[in-house]
Amino acid sequence: MNTNQKPISEFIEKYFLHFNAAALVDAAKGYEAQLNKGSKMLVSLAGAMSTAEIGRIFAEMIRQDKVHIISCTGANLEEDIMNLVAHSHYKRVPNYRDLTPQDEWALLEKGLNRVTDTCIPEEEAFRRIQQHIVKIWKDTQENGDRFLPHEYMYKLLLSGVLEQYYEIDIKNSWMYAAAEKNLPMVVPGWEDSTMGNIFASYVLKGELQASVVKSGIEYMTFLADWYTENSENGIGFFQIGGGIAGDFPICVVPMLYQDMERTDTPFWSYFCQISDSTTSYGSYSGAVPNEKITWGKLDINTPKFIIESDATIVAPLIFAYLLEM
């Protein structure tokens, strides 16, 4: 094959001509234009994208500096690492729509927690990580330090203690790629993740102080400083799914502009959302991009894209286009 060929990119440009397919191409080209003019890009991850193994391509996006900051749920933060250390123990359930309550209970009794068609093995995934992360939390407390949730995960990965468990190629872990670069990250609502619940249990038992893990407010103040320092050429916003992973970071602009009265704060310079959520009363995930103008998040002229489709299909295609695959 000619090494100059880009089969995926060429396929997309040739056949993705209308409707959501055309929106995908437009959004990918808009993302590319942002990078070409020196803008930075925030990518937000909602849903179960890590369990969907988005790391197989997202890690390369990170390595090639096509992502500059990430906002993700606590679940996505930890589930990439869970897949890294317990991949062979995951169970796929292709007939998940046919499961009865009794079938679901049987999965629970086997320690299999289901996410659509994929079951995460509790013992191999959660517990392998738990014993090591708890040690880092306790050591941090003894040293009088405190860190953000993702910083603990970076420490865990870079320490090498999990290498004995690796079951996939490390290049397919987006969290490891991010840790190597010490990529900026915000993880709003980390408390509702499995590791957040485990941390809370140690607080309840009196073994850890809640303050050992920095709070969501500290994530917002960090993001405010990062946005201010990096927005000279614009910062784009690429949103996968909706929810808190998307709404939390996008609000930094109106917060700086309105609450801090920094009226020279630039709006986000690009916005794309991949979601299959429909527009409905009060739905953030289904809100069209123009609604964000009224909240002071996007400008009238901000390039705006919405792709109403499955993110597990769309995101890898856009990333492949950007990586010129």
Side-chain angles (χ1 to χ4, degrees):
M1 179 182 291
N2 186 332
T3 56
N4 292 324
Q5 287 186 337
K6 299 179 290 184
I8 297 176
S9 301
E10 291 169 357
F11 178 88
I12 290 171
E13 288 197 321
K14 183 175 181 179
Y15 295 108
F16 282 34
L17 303 176
H18 302 282
F19 317 133
N20 273 302
L24 183 156
V25 177
D26 292 342
K29 289 183 175 180
Y31 193 133
E32 188 174 51
Q34 288 287 303
L35 297 180
N36 289 342
K37 72 174 188 178
S39 298
K40 297 194 173 179
M41 188 66 71
L42 178 147
V43 172
S44 73
L45 292 176
M49 295 304 293
S50 287
T51 293
E53 298 188 66
I54 193 65
R56 286 174 171 263
I57 192 165
F58 192 44
E60 189 61 24
M61 288 282 290
I62 294 168
R63 283 190 289 269
Q64 292 196 23
D65 297 317
K66 297 183 185 294
V67 181
H68 304 96
I69 186 169
I70 292 170
S71 173
C72 73
T73 59
N76 277 302
L77 182 76
E78 64 195 16
E79 287 177 12
D80 178 82
I81 304 174
M82 291 175 184
N83 180 60
L84 174 65
V85 302
H87 180 77
S88 69
H89 299 275
Y90 278 58
K91 177 179 174 60
R92 186 159 180 266
V93 186
N95 62 329
Y96 66 92
R97 292 181 180 86
D98 301 327
L99 296 178
T100 65
Q102 290 75 21
D103 294 331
E104 305 278 21
W105 186 263
L107 291 173
L108 171 66
E109 291 185 318
K110 294 176 183 177
L112 294 170
N113 302 138
R114 185 170 70 83
V115 180
T116 312
D117 71 347
T118 302
C119 293
I120 301 174
E122 180 175 344
E123 193 63 32
E124 292 80 7
F126 305 151
R127 304 311 168 196
R128 282 182 180 178
I129 295 174
Q130 179 178 347
Q131 60 177 310
H132 299 292
I133 197 69
V134 169
K135 183 180 187 305
I136 295 174
W137 288 334
K138 290 185 175 181
D139 288 347
T140 301
Q141 179 169 281
E142 289 177 11
N143 293 333
D145 291 329
R146 49 197 301 272
F147 299 102
L148 292 162
H150 78 277
E151 293 177 315
Y152 282 108
M153 291 303 195
Y154 283 1
K155 289 177 181 292
L156 178 67
L157 286 166
L158 297 177
S159 72
V161 297
L162 295 181
E163 290 180 8
Q164 59 186 308
Y165 307 121
Y166 287 177
E167 294 194 348
I168 65 169
D169 191 327
I170 193 65
K171 71 179 178 62
N172 291 331
S173 166
W174 73 262
M175 270 295 293
Y176 190 82
E180 282 193 308
K181 283 186 173 288
N182 194 26
L183 196 73
M185 190 181 299
V186 294
V187 189
W190 173 77
E191 298 82 1
D192 84 342
S193 66
T194 298
M195 289 301 132
N197 292 171
I198 290 171
F199 178 79
S201 75
Y202 281 89
V203 173
L204 286 167
K205 290 184 286 189
E207 297 182 33
L208 286 170
Q209 297 173 351
S211 60
V212 171
V213 174
K214 291 185 177 181
S215 70
I217 294 298
E218 288 166 289
Y219 263 133
M220 182 57 83
T221 56
F222 159 77
L223 180 60
D225 289 339
W226 186 91
Y227 192 95
T228 301
E229 293 165 5
N230 289 274
S231 58
E232 181 178 0
N233 294 319
I235 302 174
F237 200 106
F238 188 82
Q239 180 178 315
I240 299 175
I244 194 171
D247 196 30
F248 181 93
I250 206 169
C251 287
V252 74
V253 169
M255 188 268 285
L256 287 169
Y257 191 100
Q258 299 169 14
D259 304 319
M260 293 297 293
E261 299 182 349
R262 297 182 189 171
T263 54
D264 59 342
T265 300
F267 294 102
W268 295 94
S269 61
Y270 162 98
F271 178 79
C272 175
Q273 177 178 353
I274 307 169
S275 174
D276 60 1
S277 176
T278 56
T279 302
S280 61
Y281 299 107
S283 165
Y284 174 78
S285 299
V288 297
N290 280 352
E291 183 178 293
K292 294 171 175 55
I293 296 173
T294 73
W295 290 88
K297 300 169 184 176
L298 304 179
D299 192 7
I300 293 172
N301 299 316
T302 303
K304 306 171 190 70
F305 308 92
I306 184 163
I307 308 165
E308 295 178 317
S309 188
D310 185 334
T312 63
I313 298 170
V314 171
L317 287 171
I318 291 180
F319 294 158
Y321 183 94
L322 295 166
L323 293 167
E324 298 188 329
M325 291 182 170

PDB file of all heavy atoms in Angstrom, residues 76-95:
ATOM      1  N   ASN A  76     -14.978   7.346  33.530  1.00  0.00           N
ATOM      2  CA  ASN A  76     -14.026   7.249  32.424  1.00  0.00           C
ATOM      3  C   ASN A  76     -12.591   7.319  32.903  1.00  0.00           C
ATOM      4  O   ASN A  76     -11.701   6.691  32.322  1.00  0.00           O
ATOM      5  CB  ASN A  76     -14.305   8.353  31.397  1.00  0.00           C
ATOM      6  CG  ASN A  76     -15.401   7.969  30.427  1.00  0.00           C
ATOM      7  OD1 ASN A  76     -15.306   6.971  29.729  1.00  0.00           O
ATOM      8  ND2 ASN A  76     -16.461   8.749  30.400  1.00  0.00           N
ATOM      9  N   LEU A  77     -12.345   8.070  33.966  1.00  0.00           N
ATOM     10  CA  LEU A  77     -10.995   8.169  34.530  1.00  0.00           C
ATOM     11  C   LEU A  77     -10.488   6.800  34.965  1.00  0.00           C
ATOM     12  O   LEU A  77      -9.353   6.414  34.679  1.00  0.00           O
ATOM     13  CB  LEU A  77     -11.010   9.124  35.729  1.00  0.00           C
ATOM     14  CG  LEU A  77      -9.669   9.388  36.409  1.00  0.00           C
ATOM     15  CD1 LEU A  77      -8.823  10.336  35.584  1.00  0.00           C
ATOM     16  CD2 LEU A  77      -9.877   9.958  37.818  1.00  0.00           C
ATOM     17  N   GLU A  78     -11.339   6.040  35.641  1.00  0.00           N
ATOM     18  CA  GLU A  78     -10.902   4.768  36.217  1.00  0.00           C
ATOM     19  C   GLU A  78     -11.092   3.579  35.269  1.00  0.00           C
ATOM     20  O   GLU A  78     -10.318   2.612  35.318  1.00  0.00           O
ATOM     21  CB  GLU A  78     -11.661   4.498  37.519  1.00  0.00           C
ATOM     22  CG  GLU A  78     -13.163   4.306  37.339  1.00  0.00           C
ATOM     23  CD  GLU A  78     -13.948   4.395  38.634  1.00  0.00           C
ATOM     24  OE1 GLU A  78     -13.395   4.891  39.633  1.00  0.00           O
ATOM     25  OE2 GLU A  78     -15.124   3.976  38.647  1.00  0.00           O
ATOM     26  N   GLU A  79     -12.104   3.653  34.399  1.00  0.00           N
ATOM     27  CA  GLU A  79     -12.421   2.468  33.595  1.00  0.00           C
ATOM     28  C   GLU A  79     -11.379   2.188  32.514  1.00  0.00           C
ATOM     29  O   GLU A  79     -11.221   1.048  32.081  1.00  0.00           O
ATOM     30  CB  GLU A  79     -13.834   2.584  33.010  1.00  0.00           C
ATOM     31  CG  GLU A  79     -14.903   2.386  34.072  1.00  0.00           C
ATOM     32  CD  GLU A  79     -16.325   2.549  33.566  1.00  0.00           C
ATOM     33  OE1 GLU A  79     -16.518   2.591  32.327  1.00  0.00           O
ATOM     34  OE2 GLU A  79     -17.244   2.635  34.401  1.00  0.00           O
ATOM     35  N   ASP A  80     -10.654   3.211  32.069  1.00  0.00           N
ATOM     36  CA  ASP A  80      -9.543   2.954  31.153  1.00  0.00           C
ATOM     37  C   ASP A  80      -8.477   2.120  31.849  1.00  0.00           C
ATOM     38  O   ASP A  80      -7.910   1.191  31.258  1.00  0.00           O
ATOM     39  CB  ASP A  80      -8.936   4.281  30.669  1.00  0.00           C
ATOM     40  CG  ASP A  80      -7.750   4.059  29.752  1.00  0.00           C
ATOM     41  OD1 ASP A  80      -7.967   3.819  28.551  1.00  0.00           O
ATOM     42  OD2 ASP A  80      -6.600   4.115  30.239  1.00  0.00           O
ATOM     43  N   ILE A  81      -8.215   2.410  33.113  1.00  0.00           N
ATOM     44  CA  ILE A  81      -7.208   1.654  33.875  1.00  0.00           C
ATOM     45  C   ILE A  81      -7.727   0.263  34.194  1.00  0.00           C
ATOM     46  O   ILE A  81      -6.967  -0.712  34.175  1.00  0.00           O
ATOM     47  CB  ILE A  81      -6.826   2.418  35.162  1.00  0.00           C
ATOM     48  CG1 ILE A  81      -6.334   3.827  34.813  1.00  0.00           C
ATOM     49  CG2 ILE A  81      -5.750   1.659  35.940  1.00  0.00           C
ATOM     50  CD1 ILE A  81      -6.064   4.712  36.019  1.00  0.00           C
ATOM     51  N   MET A  82      -9.008   0.156  34.465  1.00  0.00           N
ATOM     52  CA  MET A  82      -9.592  -1.163  34.722  1.00  0.00           C
ATOM     53  C   MET A  82      -9.438  -2.076  33.512  1.00  0.00           C
ATOM     54  O   MET A  82      -9.094  -3.256  33.642  1.00  0.00           O
ATOM     55  CB  MET A  82     -11.069  -1.021  35.096  1.00  0.00           C
ATOM     56  CG  MET A  82     -11.315  -0.366  36.437  1.00  0.00           C
ATOM     57  SD  MET A  82     -13.082  -0.117  36.724  1.00  0.00           S
ATOM     58  CE  MET A  82     -13.038   0.761  38.291  1.00  0.00           C
ATOM     59  N   ASN A  83      -9.685  -1.523  32.337  1.00  0.00           N
ATOM     60  CA  ASN A  83      -9.517  -2.304  31.112  1.00  0.00           C
ATOM     61  C   ASN A  83      -8.051  -2.704  30.919  1.00  0.00           C
ATOM     62  O   ASN A  83      -7.754  -3.794  30.433  1.00  0.00           O
ATOM     63  CB  ASN A  83     -10.005  -1.503  29.911  1.00  0.00           C
ATOM     64  CG  ASN A  83      -9.862  -2.247  28.604  1.00  0.00           C
ATOM     65  OD1 ASN A  83     -10.433  -3.316  28.407  1.00  0.00           O
ATOM     66  ND2 ASN A  83      -9.083  -1.689  27.686  1.00  0.00           N
ATOM     67  N   LEU A  84      -7.156  -1.823  31.323  1.00  0.00           N
ATOM     68  CA  LEU A  84      -5.723  -2.104  31.207  1.00  0.00           C
ATOM     69  C   LEU A  84      -5.312  -3.309  32.044  1.00  0.00           C
ATOM     70  O   LEU A  84      -4.518  -4.144  31.594  1.00  0.00           O
ATOM     71  CB  LEU A  84      -4.932  -0.857  31.651  1.00  0.00           C
ATOM     72  CG  LEU A  84      -3.410  -0.974  31.740  1.00  0.00           C
ATOM     73  CD1 LEU A  84      -2.793  -1.225  30.367  1.00  0.00           C
ATOM     74  CD2 LEU A  84      -2.825   0.295  32.370  1.00  0.00           C
ATOM     75  N   VAL A  85      -5.870  -3.422  33.253  1.00  0.00           N
ATOM     76  CA  VAL A  85      -5.394  -4.465  34.172  1.00  0.00           C
ATOM     77  C   VAL A  85      -6.284  -5.700  34.225  1.00  0.00           C
ATOM     78  O   VAL A  85      -5.905  -6.701  34.859  1.00  0.00           O
ATOM     79  CB  VAL A  85      -5.246  -3.899  35.603  1.00  0.00           C
ATOM     80  CG1 VAL A  85      -4.279  -2.728  35.614  1.00  0.00           C
ATOM     81  CG2 VAL A  85      -6.584  -3.494  36.208  1.00  0.00           C
ATOM     82  N   ALA A  86      -7.451  -5.671  33.576  1.00  0.00           N
ATOM     83  CA  ALA A  86      -8.368  -6.813  33.731  1.00  0.00           C
ATOM     84  C   ALA A  86      -9.092  -7.171  32.443  1.00  0.00           C
ATOM     85  O   ALA A  86     -10.145  -7.808  32.477  1.00  0.00           O
ATOM     86  CB  ALA A  86      -9.386  -6.507  34.832  1.00  0.00           C
ATOM     87  N   HIS A  87      -8.528  -6.795  31.300  1.00  0.00           N
ATOM     88  CA  HIS A  87      -9.229  -6.939  30.028  1.00  0.00           C
ATOM     89  C   HIS A  87      -9.717  -8.371  29.765  1.00  0.00           C
ATOM     90  O   HIS A  87     -10.830  -8.575  29.286  1.00  0.00           O
ATOM     91  CB  HIS A  87      -8.312  -6.498  28.889  1.00  0.00           C
ATOM     92  CG  HIS A  87      -8.940  -6.600  27.530  1.00  0.00           C
ATOM     93  ND1 HIS A  87      -9.861  -5.683  27.067  1.00  0.00           N
ATOM     94  CD2 HIS A  87      -8.792  -7.528  26.547  1.00  0.00           C
ATOM     95  CE1 HIS A  87     -10.249  -6.034  25.857  1.00  0.00           C
ATOM     96  NE2 HIS A  87      -9.625  -7.144  25.509  1.00  0.00           N
ATOM     97  N   SER A  88      -8.911  -9.350  30.064  1.00  0.00           N
ATOM     98  CA  SER A  88      -9.278 -10.743  29.743  1.00  0.00           C
ATOM     99  C   SER A  88     -10.439 -11.253  30.590  1.00  0.00           C
ATOM    100  O   SER A  88     -11.051 -12.282  30.266  1.00  0.00           O
ATOM    101  CB  SER A  88      -8.067 -11.670  29.930  1.00  0.00           C
ATOM    102  OG  SER A  88      -7.732 -11.787  31.301  1.00  0.00           O
ATOM    103  N   HIS A  89     -10.743 -10.554  31.674  1.00  0.00           N
ATOM    104  CA  HIS A  89     -11.825 -10.979  32.560  1.00  0.00           C
ATOM    105  C   HIS A  89     -13.149 -10.305  32.245  1.00  0.00           C
ATOM    106  O   HIS A  89     -14.164 -10.623  32.863  1.00  0.00           O
ATOM    107  CB  HIS A  89     -11.431 -10.703  34.026  1.00  0.00           C
ATOM    108  CG  HIS A  89     -10.202 -11.437  34.461  1.00  0.00           C
ATOM    109  ND1 HIS A  89     -10.235 -12.731  34.928  1.00  0.00           N
ATOM    110  CD2 HIS A  89      -8.897 -11.057  34.479  1.00  0.00           C
ATOM    111  CE1 HIS A  89      -9.003 -13.120  35.231  1.00  0.00           C
ATOM    112  NE2 HIS A  89      -8.178 -12.117  34.965  1.00  0.00           N
ATOM    113  N   TYR A  90     -13.130  -9.343  31.313  1.00  0.00           N
ATOM    114  CA  TYR A  90     -14.383  -8.707  30.912  1.00  0.00           C
ATOM    115  C   TYR A  90     -15.247  -9.738  30.176  1.00  0.00           C
ATOM    116  O   TYR A  90     -14.729 -10.651  29.535  1.00  0.00           O
ATOM    117  CB  TYR A  90     -14.112  -7.527  29.981  1.00  0.00           C
ATOM    118  CG  TYR A  90     -13.734  -6.240  30.686  1.00  0.00           C
ATOM    119  CD1 TYR A  90     -12.634  -6.184  31.532  1.00  0.00           C
ATOM    120  CD2 TYR A  90     -14.467  -5.071  30.483  1.00  0.00           C
ATOM    121  CE1 TYR A  90     -12.278  -5.001  32.174  1.00  0.00           C
ATOM    122  CE2 TYR A  90     -14.125  -3.889  31.117  1.00  0.00           C
ATOM    123  CZ  TYR A  90     -13.028  -3.861  31.964  1.00  0.00           C
ATOM    124  OH  TYR A  90     -12.690  -2.688  32.596  1.00  0.00           O
ATOM    125  N   LYS A  91     -16.546  -9.565  30.295  1.00  0.00           N
ATOM    126  CA  LYS A  91     -17.473 -10.482  29.610  1.00  0.00           C
ATOM    127  C   LYS A  91     -18.412  -9.674  28.726  1.00  0.00           C
ATOM    128  O   LYS A  91     -19.014  -8.700  29.188  1.00  0.00           O
ATOM    129  CB  LYS A  91     -18.288 -11.288  30.630  1.00  0.00           C
ATOM    130  CG  LYS A  91     -19.326 -12.219  30.001  1.00  0.00           C
ATOM    131  CD  LYS A  91     -20.071 -12.990  31.073  1.00  0.00           C
ATOM    132  CE  LYS A  91     -21.226 -13.815  30.478  1.00  0.00           C
ATOM    133  NZ  LYS A  91     -20.772 -14.802  29.495  1.00  0.00           N
ATOM    134  N   ARG A  92     -18.492 -10.034  27.476  1.00  0.00           N
ATOM    135  CA  ARG A  92     -19.414  -9.350  26.569  1.00  0.00           C
ATOM    136  C   ARG A  92     -20.742 -10.109  26.542  1.00  0.00           C
ATOM    137  O   ARG A  92     -20.778 -11.337  26.503  1.00  0.00           O
ATOM    138  CB  ARG A  92     -18.820  -9.278  25.156  1.00  0.00           C
ATOM    139  CG  ARG A  92     -19.688  -8.440  24.222  1.00  0.00           C
ATOM    140  CD  ARG A  92     -18.929  -7.925  23.011  1.00  0.00           C
ATOM    141  NE  ARG A  92     -19.842  -7.138  22.160  1.00  0.00           N
ATOM    142  CZ  ARG A  92     -20.508  -7.637  21.136  1.00  0.00           C
ATOM    143  NH1 ARG A  92     -20.351  -8.904  20.786  1.00  0.00           N
ATOM    144  NH2 ARG A  92     -21.320  -6.865  20.430  1.00  0.00           N
ATOM    145  N   VAL A  93     -21.837  -9.354  26.562  1.00  0.00           N
ATOM    146  CA  VAL A  93     -23.179  -9.936  26.562  1.00  0.00           C
ATOM    147  C   VAL A  93     -23.934  -9.353  25.363  1.00  0.00           C
ATOM    148  O   VAL A  93     -24.664  -8.357  25.484  1.00  0.00           O
ATOM    149  CB  VAL A  93     -23.930  -9.614  27.874  1.00  0.00           C
ATOM    150  CG1 VAL A  93     -25.263 -10.360  27.923  1.00  0.00           C
ATOM    151  CG2 VAL A  93     -23.087  -9.953  29.078  1.00  0.00           C
ATOM    152  N   PRO A  94     -23.763  -9.931  24.178  1.00  0.00           N
ATOM    153  CA  PRO A  94     -24.385  -9.353  22.975  1.00  0.00           C
ATOM    154  C   PRO A  94     -25.907  -9.354  23.004  1.00  0.00           C
ATOM    155  O   PRO A  94     -26.542  -8.553  22.328  1.00  0.00           O
ATOM    156  CB  PRO A  94     -23.836 -10.238  21.845  1.00  0.00           C
ATOM    157  CG  PRO A  94     -23.405 -11.504  22.508  1.00  0.00           C
ATOM    158  CD  PRO A  94     -22.954 -11.128  23.874  1.00  0.00           C
ATOM    159  N   ASN A  95     -26.500 -10.232  23.804  1.00  0.00           N
ATOM    160  CA  ASN A  95     -27.971 -10.312  23.875  1.00  0.00           C
ATOM    161  C   ASN A  95     -28.507  -9.576  25.098  1.00  0.00           C
ATOM    162  O   ASN A  95     -29.514  -9.961  25.691  1.00  0.00           O
ATOM    163  CB  ASN A  95     -28.418 -11.775  23.929  1.00  0.00           C
ATOM    164  CG  ASN A  95     -27.889 -12.498  25.166  1.00  0.00           C
ATOM    165  OD1 ASN A  95     -26.804 -12.168  25.656  1.00  0.00           O
ATOM    166  ND2 ASN A  95     -28.643 -13.458  25.685  1.00  0.00           N
TER     167      ASN A  95
END
